[in-house]
Amino acid sequence: MIRTSIALATFIAATGGLTAFAGAVETTTRFEAQGSQSGSLVIASVTDLDFMQPLISAFQQSNPGVSVTYIEDTSNSLDASVSRTCADRSFFADLVISSSIAQQVRLVNGGCAREIGSPVLANLPDWAQWRGELIGLTYEPAVMVYNKAAFAADGPPRSRFDLIDMMRQSDRLSGRIATYDIEESGVGYLFAFQDSTEASTWGRLIEGFGRNSVATFCCSSEVIDRVADGRAYVGYNVLGSYAQSRAEKDPRIGVILPTDYTLVLARAGYIPREARDAGAARAFLELALSPAGRAILDGETRLLTPLSGPDALARLGGGEAPALRPIPLSPALLVSLDRAKRARFLSQWRKSVTLPSP
C-alpha cells in the first residue's frame, strides 16, 4: 500500500492523468493488484480510508488482478475536481462516492455519469437511487454526540427542543457546542439546509448557536475529538457512522438519535462518463450491496446500508422507534445549490451564529 498526501496547485499522479486543481488537498493511496494485473480501479471519495479499506480488501480478494487507487478529499474540493474534469471530458476516477449528495445529484443531472446497469438497483428503495446512474450505498443518521461526564447529573439533550431549552436556560453550553462549518463542508451544508426545511426549530436553533458561541469545523472527526476531550459538550449533526464507530471505542462520548426527527443520508456513488474501468467500478458497487458487503458496512464501520440501516438504527434507539427521515436522491436536492438561495441561507447562518464585534 502506497499513500501520499498532496497539497499542490497542480499535480499529476503517478497512476497517470489524475489532476488535483489549485487549492485542493487530497490523500492518494494505492493498493497494488494481488495477482497478475488485469485492471485498475480509481475511486475518488470523501470517506475516511479507515472506513473504506475493509471493502477495498474484500473487493481485491474477489478481483485479485485489479489494483485500487483511493483518492480521499473534502467534499467541496472533490466536487470542484470532478466538475472540472466532467466539463473537460477528461478522466479523474472510475467511481465517485460522496456524502455531499446534492452535489452528486447535480453532477449526474449535468450528464457526468453513465448508467450503472446492474441488477442490484432493483433491491434498493426508490429514495436511494436516481436515474439508474446514482445509488445510495450507506444509511447514516445525523446525530448529536455528547460528553458523558458533562451530562452525568441531568442527562444530555435528546431532541432539538431539549438543546434549544438548554441553550436558553443557562450559559453552561457557552463555547461548548460544535458542529460543521457549513460553508466549507458539503454534508454540513446539506444537513443544515434540510433542517431549515424540516421543522420550525431552525431559527431558534441557530439563534442559540450564536448566543452560545458555537464552534464550527470541516469534519465529523474534529467535532467528535472536541466532544471526547471535553472542549465541547455537544456535537450537532455529526455523521452517525463516525460517531457510533468512535463511541464503541471511546467511553467518554455518547450518541443520540434526535427524538423529534433524525435525518438519514445515503452516501452516494456514480460511475463517471469518462471512467476507464467501468466494469471494475460496477463490481465494487455490487460488492458493497451484496450480503458480504453489507456485513462489512454493518460491522465496525457502522456505515450501514439502505437495506439494513432502518433495523440497525431501531436497535440503536434503545427500543424507542426513531423518527427516521431519509434524504431522497432526487432533483429536489438541487434547490439547496441554487446560488441565490445558497447565498441567502449562508447569510442567515452568518448573522445568527457569528457574534458582532464588540
PDB file of all heavy atoms in Angstrom, residues 278-299:
ATOM      1  N   ALA A 278     -15.069   0.964 -16.083  1.00  0.00           N
ATOM      2  CA  ALA A 278     -16.434   0.983 -15.565  1.00  0.00           C
ATOM      3  C   ALA A 278     -16.847  -0.381 -15.034  1.00  0.00           C
ATOM      4  O   ALA A 278     -17.650  -0.479 -14.101  1.00  0.00           O
ATOM      5  CB  ALA A 278     -17.403   1.443 -16.662  1.00  0.00           C
ATOM      6  N   GLY A 279     -16.293  -1.447 -15.608  1.00  0.00           N
ATOM      7  CA  GLY A 279     -16.630  -2.783 -15.140  1.00  0.00           C
ATOM      8  C   GLY A 279     -16.179  -3.009 -13.705  1.00  0.00           C
ATOM      9  O   GLY A 279     -16.922  -3.570 -12.891  1.00  0.00           O
ATOM     10  N   ALA A 280     -14.974  -2.560 -13.378  1.00  0.00           N
ATOM     11  CA  ALA A 280     -14.484  -2.696 -12.008  1.00  0.00           C
ATOM     12  C   ALA A 280     -15.294  -1.821 -11.060  1.00  0.00           C
ATOM     13  O   ALA A 280     -15.592  -2.226  -9.929  1.00  0.00           O
ATOM     14  CB  ALA A 280     -13.001  -2.324 -11.936  1.00  0.00           C
ATOM     15  N   ALA A 281     -15.661  -0.623 -11.515  1.00  0.00           N
ATOM     16  CA  ALA A 281     -16.477   0.265 -10.681  1.00  0.00           C
ATOM     17  C   ALA A 281     -17.832  -0.366 -10.386  1.00  0.00           C
ATOM     18  O   ALA A 281     -18.321  -0.328  -9.248  1.00  0.00           O
ATOM     19  CB  ALA A 281     -16.660   1.611 -11.379  1.00  0.00           C
ATOM     20  N   ARG A 282     -18.445  -0.966 -11.417  1.00  0.00           N
ATOM     21  CA  ARG A 282     -19.734  -1.631 -11.228  1.00  0.00           C
ATOM     22  C   ARG A 282     -19.594  -2.809 -10.253  1.00  0.00           C
ATOM     23  O   ARG A 282     -20.446  -3.007  -9.372  1.00  0.00           O
ATOM     24  CB  ARG A 282     -20.268  -2.123 -12.569  1.00  0.00           C
ATOM     25  CG  ARG A 282     -21.672  -2.721 -12.519  1.00  0.00           C
ATOM     26  CD  ARG A 282     -22.119  -3.166 -13.901  1.00  0.00           C
ATOM     27  NE  ARG A 282     -22.071  -2.066 -14.849  1.00  0.00           N
ATOM     28  CZ  ARG A 282     -21.175  -1.972 -15.852  1.00  0.00           C
ATOM     29  NH1 ARG A 282     -20.256  -2.926 -16.012  1.00  0.00           N
ATOM     30  NH2 ARG A 282     -21.193  -0.945 -16.674  1.00  0.00           N
ATOM     31  N   ALA A 283     -18.528  -3.556 -10.388  1.00  0.00           N
ATOM     32  CA  ALA A 283     -18.295  -4.696  -9.492  1.00  0.00           C
ATOM     33  C   ALA A 283     -18.127  -4.231  -8.047  1.00  0.00           C
ATOM     34  O   ALA A 283     -18.579  -4.895  -7.113  1.00  0.00           O
ATOM     35  CB  ALA A 283     -17.066  -5.478  -9.949  1.00  0.00           C
ATOM     36  N   PHE A 284     -17.492  -3.085  -7.837  1.00  0.00           N
ATOM     37  CA  PHE A 284     -17.308  -2.562  -6.492  1.00  0.00           C
ATOM     38  C   PHE A 284     -18.647  -2.170  -5.883  1.00  0.00           C
ATOM     39  O   PHE A 284     -18.928  -2.471  -4.709  1.00  0.00           O
ATOM     40  CB  PHE A 284     -16.368  -1.357  -6.520  1.00  0.00           C
ATOM     41  CG  PHE A 284     -15.934  -0.890  -5.151  1.00  0.00           C
ATOM     42  CD1 PHE A 284     -14.796  -1.404  -4.565  1.00  0.00           C
ATOM     43  CD2 PHE A 284     -16.678   0.049  -4.447  1.00  0.00           C
ATOM     44  CE1 PHE A 284     -14.394  -0.992  -3.301  1.00  0.00           C
ATOM     45  CE2 PHE A 284     -16.293   0.471  -3.186  1.00  0.00           C
ATOM     46  CZ  PHE A 284     -15.145  -0.058  -2.609  1.00  0.00           C
ATOM     47  N   LEU A 285     -19.506  -1.514  -6.666  1.00  0.00           N
ATOM     48  CA  LEU A 285     -20.835  -1.138  -6.177  1.00  0.00           C
ATOM     49  C   LEU A 285     -21.665  -2.373  -5.858  1.00  0.00           C
ATOM     50  O   LEU A 285     -22.379  -2.409  -4.846  1.00  0.00           O
ATOM     51  CB  LEU A 285     -21.550  -0.276  -7.217  1.00  0.00           C
ATOM     52  CG  LEU A 285     -20.955   1.110  -7.491  1.00  0.00           C
ATOM     53  CD1 LEU A 285     -21.701   1.790  -8.637  1.00  0.00           C
ATOM     54  CD2 LEU A 285     -21.003   1.977  -6.240  1.00  0.00           C
ATOM     55  N   GLU A 286     -21.569  -3.385  -6.718  1.00  0.00           N
ATOM     56  CA  GLU A 286     -22.321  -4.613  -6.470  1.00  0.00           C
ATOM     57  C   GLU A 286     -21.838  -5.311  -5.207  1.00  0.00           C
ATOM     58  O   GLU A 286     -22.649  -5.838  -4.429  1.00  0.00           O
ATOM     59  CB  GLU A 286     -22.192  -5.537  -7.683  1.00  0.00           C
ATOM     60  CG  GLU A 286     -22.947  -5.015  -8.902  1.00  0.00           C
ATOM     61  CD  GLU A 286     -22.729  -5.846 -10.148  1.00  0.00           C
ATOM     62  OE1 GLU A 286     -21.717  -6.588 -10.194  1.00  0.00           O
ATOM     63  OE2 GLU A 286     -23.550  -5.760 -11.074  1.00  0.00           O
ATOM     64  N   LEU A 287     -20.524  -5.284  -4.968  1.00  0.00           N
ATOM     65  CA  LEU A 287     -19.997  -5.876  -3.736  1.00  0.00           C
ATOM     66  C   LEU A 287     -20.539  -5.134  -2.516  1.00  0.00           C
ATOM     67  O   LEU A 287     -20.951  -5.767  -1.526  1.00  0.00           O
ATOM     68  CB  LEU A 287     -18.472  -5.815  -3.727  1.00  0.00           C
ATOM     69  CG  LEU A 287     -17.814  -6.134  -2.379  1.00  0.00           C
ATOM     70  CD1 LEU A 287     -18.057  -7.592  -1.992  1.00  0.00           C
ATOM     71  CD2 LEU A 287     -16.327  -5.822  -2.407  1.00  0.00           C
ATOM     72  N   ALA A 288     -20.559  -3.804  -2.576  1.00  0.00           N
ATOM     73  CA  ALA A 288     -20.995  -3.013  -1.419  1.00  0.00           C
ATOM     74  C   ALA A 288     -22.412  -3.358  -0.990  1.00  0.00           C
ATOM     75  O   ALA A 288     -22.735  -3.325   0.204  1.00  0.00           O
ATOM     76  CB  ALA A 288     -20.895  -1.523  -1.742  1.00  0.00           C
ATOM     77  N   LEU A 289     -23.257  -3.727  -1.945  1.00  0.00           N
ATOM     78  CA  LEU A 289     -24.658  -4.015  -1.631  1.00  0.00           C
ATOM     79  C   LEU A 289     -24.958  -5.510  -1.597  1.00  0.00           C
ATOM     80  O   LEU A 289     -26.109  -5.906  -1.424  1.00  0.00           O
ATOM     81  CB  LEU A 289     -25.564  -3.317  -2.655  1.00  0.00           C
ATOM     82  CG  LEU A 289     -25.504  -1.779  -2.596  1.00  0.00           C
ATOM     83  CD1 LEU A 289     -26.299  -1.161  -3.735  1.00  0.00           C
ATOM     84  CD2 LEU A 289     -25.998  -1.262  -1.258  1.00  0.00           C
ATOM     85  N   SER A 290     -23.926  -6.327  -1.732  1.00  0.00           N
ATOM     86  CA  SER A 290     -24.097  -7.776  -1.620  1.00  0.00           C
ATOM     87  C   SER A 290     -24.139  -8.158  -0.150  1.00  0.00           C
ATOM     88  O   SER A 290     -23.798  -7.355   0.729  1.00  0.00           O
ATOM     89  CB  SER A 290     -22.927  -8.484  -2.306  1.00  0.00           C
ATOM     90  OG  SER A 290     -21.740  -8.324  -1.538  1.00  0.00           O
ATOM     91  N   PRO A 291     -24.545  -9.392   0.176  1.00  0.00           N
ATOM     92  CA  PRO A 291     -24.506  -9.819   1.587  1.00  0.00           C
ATOM     93  C   PRO A 291     -23.135  -9.644   2.225  1.00  0.00           C
ATOM     94  O   PRO A 291     -23.021  -9.211   3.378  1.00  0.00           O
ATOM     95  CB  PRO A 291     -24.925 -11.290   1.508  1.00  0.00           C
ATOM     96  CG  PRO A 291     -25.818 -11.349   0.302  1.00  0.00           C
ATOM     97  CD  PRO A 291     -25.210 -10.392  -0.684  1.00  0.00           C
ATOM     98  N   ALA A 292     -22.070  -9.957   1.491  1.00  0.00           N
ATOM     99  CA  ALA A 292     -20.720  -9.797   2.039  1.00  0.00           C
ATOM    100  C   ALA A 292     -20.396  -8.328   2.291  1.00  0.00           C
ATOM    101  O   ALA A 292     -19.822  -7.969   3.324  1.00  0.00           O
ATOM    102  CB  ALA A 292     -19.690 -10.408   1.081  1.00  0.00           C
ATOM    103  N   GLY A 293     -20.770  -7.474   1.348  1.00  0.00           N
ATOM    104  CA  GLY A 293     -20.517  -6.048   1.509  1.00  0.00           C
ATOM    105  C   GLY A 293     -21.342  -5.443   2.629  1.00  0.00           C
ATOM    106  O   GLY A 293     -20.847  -4.606   3.402  1.00  0.00           O
ATOM    107  N   ARG A 294     -22.589  -5.873   2.736  1.00  0.00           N
ATOM    108  CA  ARG A 294     -23.446  -5.353   3.812  1.00  0.00           C
ATOM    109  C   ARG A 294     -22.901  -5.762   5.178  1.00  0.00           C
ATOM    110  O   ARG A 294     -22.975  -4.995   6.138  1.00  0.00           O
ATOM    111  CB  ARG A 294     -24.877  -5.842   3.634  1.00  0.00           C
ATOM    112  CG  ARG A 294     -25.565  -5.295   2.392  1.00  0.00           C
ATOM    113  CD  ARG A 294     -27.076  -5.345   2.514  1.00  0.00           C
ATOM    114  NE  ARG A 294     -27.605  -6.671   2.741  1.00  0.00           N
ATOM    115  CZ  ARG A 294     -27.938  -7.533   1.775  1.00  0.00           C
ATOM    116  NH1 ARG A 294     -27.766  -7.196   0.499  1.00  0.00           N
ATOM    117  NH2 ARG A 294     -28.439  -8.710   2.067  1.00  0.00           N
ATOM    118  N   ALA A 295     -22.331  -6.958   5.266  1.00  0.00           N
ATOM    119  CA  ALA A 295     -21.745  -7.397   6.539  1.00  0.00           C
ATOM    120  C   ALA A 295     -20.595  -6.472   6.938  1.00  0.00           C
ATOM    121  O   ALA A 295     -20.403  -6.175   8.125  1.00  0.00           O
ATOM    122  CB  ALA A 295     -21.262  -8.836   6.426  1.00  0.00           C
ATOM    123  N   ILE A 296     -19.832  -6.007   5.957  1.00  0.00           N
ATOM    124  CA  ILE A 296     -18.726  -5.078   6.243  1.00  0.00           C
ATOM    125  C   ILE A 296     -19.262  -3.713   6.654  1.00  0.00           C
ATOM    126  O   ILE A 296     -18.840  -3.135   7.660  1.00  0.00           O
ATOM    127  CB  ILE A 296     -17.813  -4.944   4.999  1.00  0.00           C
ATOM    128  CG1 ILE A 296     -17.091  -6.260   4.731  1.00  0.00           C
ATOM    129  CG2 ILE A 296     -16.817  -3.798   5.183  1.00  0.00           C
ATOM    130  CD1 ILE A 296     -16.357  -6.300   3.405  1.00  0.00           C
ATOM    131  N   LEU A 297     -20.219  -3.178   5.895  1.00  0.00           N
ATOM    132  CA  LEU A 297     -20.743  -1.839   6.178  1.00  0.00           C
ATOM    133  C   LEU A 297     -21.559  -1.814   7.470  1.00  0.00           C
ATOM    134  O   LEU A 297     -21.611  -0.788   8.158  1.00  0.00           O
ATOM    135  CB  LEU A 297     -21.594  -1.346   5.000  1.00  0.00           C
ATOM    136  CG  LEU A 297     -20.826  -1.124   3.693  1.00  0.00           C
ATOM    137  CD1 LEU A 297     -21.775  -0.713   2.580  1.00  0.00           C
ATOM    138  CD2 LEU A 297     -19.732  -0.084   3.858  1.00  0.00           C
ATOM    139  N   ASP A 298     -22.199  -2.938   7.794  1.00  0.00           N
ATOM    140  CA  ASP A 298     -22.960  -3.021   9.043  1.00  0.00           C
ATOM    141  C   ASP A 298     -22.066  -3.321  10.239  1.00  0.00           C
ATOM    142  O   ASP A 298     -22.519  -3.237  11.381  1.00  0.00           O
ATOM    143  CB  ASP A 298     -24.032  -4.118   8.951  1.00  0.00           C
ATOM    144  CG  ASP A 298     -25.125  -3.784   7.956  1.00  0.00           C
ATOM    145  OD1 ASP A 298     -25.201  -2.615   7.532  1.00  0.00           O
ATOM    146  OD2 ASP A 298     -25.891  -4.705   7.597  1.00  0.00           O
ATOM    147  N   GLY A 299     -20.806  -3.679   9.971  1.00  0.00           N
ATOM    148  CA  GLY A 299     -19.894  -4.069  11.037  1.00  0.00           C
ATOM    149  C   GLY A 299     -19.279  -2.873  11.732  1.00  0.00           C
ATOM    150  O   GLY A 299     -19.948  -1.888  12.031  1.00  0.00           O
TER     151      GLY A 299
END
